[in-house]
Amino acid sequence: MGNVNASENGAAAAATPPPSLIQEDKNPGSLEDMHKKCKDVFPMFMEGYKFLVNKGLSQHFQVSHTLTLSNSMPSGYRFGSTYVHASRVMSPQESYPIMVGDIDMSGNLQAHYLDAPSQNTRCKMIAQIQQGKWQGCQLSGDYKGSDFTSSLTLANPDLINGTGVGVLQYLQRVTNKIDLGTEFVYQSSPQLPGGHIAALSFSGRYSGPDYSLASTISNSGAMHASFWQKCSDDLQVGTEIETNIKMQETVGTVGYQVDLPRAGLLFRGAVDSNWNVKGVIEKKLQPLPLTLSLCGLLNHPKGSFQMGAALIMG
């Protein structure tokens, strides 16, 4: 949760990792990342224009400035900051605690706090304030064993009124290629029929070094299946099917990613069964510390087209 890149010299990189890190490689990860490799291939569309500046003020502190102009999302200026204390270094890619904040001109604030009390535990807290009022919070914790991960998440817990959402997840590595997991979701609220509702889902994944086949099925009638394949160092493809039996809706998506690091070029494209075609191209404007991103969305049945552009500095 919340990886932060850390640089190391060549000697440290070539050294044999400690036993704790070798053991961590057998961990299947968290259940929420079951379909992550496939999702990462699909383009993230943004309508409008965005200008983002990232500035590192010190080894531990970084700020960002974002200016957005859009019809589909809130426009305006946002200020963000990231602080990494690095008092607990779990691996070359993980240092804790981490504090992340983001605020806009209307005072809408979202804050994250991430920590690792031990080598096997991770915890995170998210707080939101909108229009000067407390909107809600989320508390989560992970325990990573040698071959399993268990997670507990609480959203807007109110012990006095007995309301809130709880999510319990467990993912077990059965063999070197097979992972099995389950998720239990419980919500309590006076607005719900009977005052509460619960859902149970099961997940499975069969994966290798260059492929991943995952599936999730829930007693609420939702099903999700995905497949990811790394064809070469430059090309990755992915496909997924999401079905809701109660709503009688099914959406299938096929996407691909082409990464050309030598040219500083990254392209993602996808098309779904509703004939929505998405594409995102990112180009590093070397030697300047700038990245230009252009994206488009075309809906064939409606004959509509949307476009977005972003310029990232730093």
Side-chain angles (χ1 to χ4, degrees), residues 212-225:
S212 177
L213 175 63
S215 178
T216 301
I217 183 171
S218 172
N219 65 346
S220 62
M223 292 185 293
H224 186 190

Side-chain angles (χ1 to χ4, degrees), residues 7-313:
S7 61
E8 287 200 350
N9 53 38
T16 302
S20 60
L21 296 185
I22 296 178
Q23 185 182 14
E24 188 75 15
D25 292 339
K26 301 179 182 179
N27 186 276
S30 61
L31 189 66
E32 62 183 10
D33 294 334
M34 179 67 66
H35 305 275
K36 185 178 186 299
K37 288 187 176 181
C38 180
K39 289 289 188 181
D40 288 344
V41 173
F42 298 153
M44 296 295 295
F45 174 75
M46 181 204 70
E47 188 272 334
Y49 303 94
K50 177 185 290 186
F51 180 64
L52 173 62
V53 178
N54 293 317
K55 176 66 174 178
L57 302 181
S58 68
Q59 184 180 0
H60 304 283
F61 191 61
Q62 175 181 302
V63 298
S64 65
H65 308 271
T66 306
L67 181 62
T68 304
L69 299 175
S70 174
N71 292 324
S72 59
M73 58 185 301
S75 301
Y77 169 78
R78 298 188 69 91
F79 173 78
S81 62
T82 301
Y83 178 76
V84 182
H85 189 270
S87 60
R88 287 182 287 276
V89 179
M90 300 302 171
S91 73
Q93 292 79 31
E94 287 185 297
S95 299
Y96 297 94
I98 303 172
M99 289 177 283
V100 181
D102 185 86
I103 189 171
D104 62 13
M105 298 298 292
S106 300
N108 298 324
L109 171 68
Q110 181 167 327
H112 299 245
Y113 178 81
L114 304 95
D115 205 346
S118 67
Q119 184 69 39
N120 300 97
T121 56
R122 305 288 187 272
C123 60
K124 177 173 64 175
M125 182 182 70
I126 302 176
Q128 291 182 330
I129 297 176
Q130 293 185 356
Q131 304 298 327
K133 297 181 179 179
W134 181 265
Q135 184 68 20
C137 68
Q138 177 178 309
L139 305 173
S140 62
D142 296 343
Y143 181 84
K144 296 185 177 182
S146 59
D147 58 355
F148 71 92
T149 298
S150 58
S151 305
L152 175 63
T153 301
L154 300 176
N156 298 328
D158 189 343
L159 300 179
I160 298 178
N161 298 318
T163 61
V165 179
V167 181
L168 181 63
Q169 298 175 335
Y170 182 84
L171 183 61
Q172 174 72 52
R173 172 145 295 179
V174 181
T175 67
N176 292 333
K177 295 185 177 181
I178 299 178
D179 302 324
L180 298 177
T182 182
E183 178 184 70
F184 177 74
V185 181
Y186 177 83
Q187 181 178 3
S188 177
S189 176
Q191 287 77 25
L192 294 174
H196 58 86
I197 189 173
L200 182 66
S201 63
F202 298 93
S203 301
R205 178 174 60 196
Y206 183 83
S207 60
D210 58 356
Y211 65 90
S212 177
L213 175 63
S215 178
T216 301
I217 183 171
S218 172
N219 65 346
S220 62
M223 292 185 293
H224 186 190
S226 67
F227 176 74
W228 167 82
Q229 175 75 54
K230 184 177 181 181
C231 304
S232 65
D233 293 337
D234 301 331
L235 177 62
Q236 302 179 46
V237 297
T239 180
E240 71 171 7
I241 297 177
E242 294 182 282
T243 300
N244 191 314
I245 298 178
K246 292 184 178 180
M247 301 296 296
Q248 297 184 351
E249 293 180 350
T250 299
V251 178
T253 307
V254 178
Y256 65 94
Q257 173 182 301
V258 178
D259 188 6
L260 303 174
R262 297 176 297 277
L265 188 65
L266 177 66
F267 181 79
R268 294 187 178 98
V271 57
D272 61 26
S273 56
N274 293 325
W275 294 110
N276 292 309
V277 182
K278 299 179 184 179
V280 175
I281 183 172
E282 297 180 4
K283 171 63 176 177
K284 293 184 179 180
L285 307 179
Q286 299 174 346
L288 299 175
L290 297 174
T291 300
L292 177 64
S293 177
L294 301 175
C295 53
L297 170 61
L298 175 62
N299 185 295
H300 284 278
K302 297 181 180 180
S304 61
F305 176 76
Q306 294 176 297
M307 184 175 179
L311 184 63
I312 303 172
M313 177 182 298

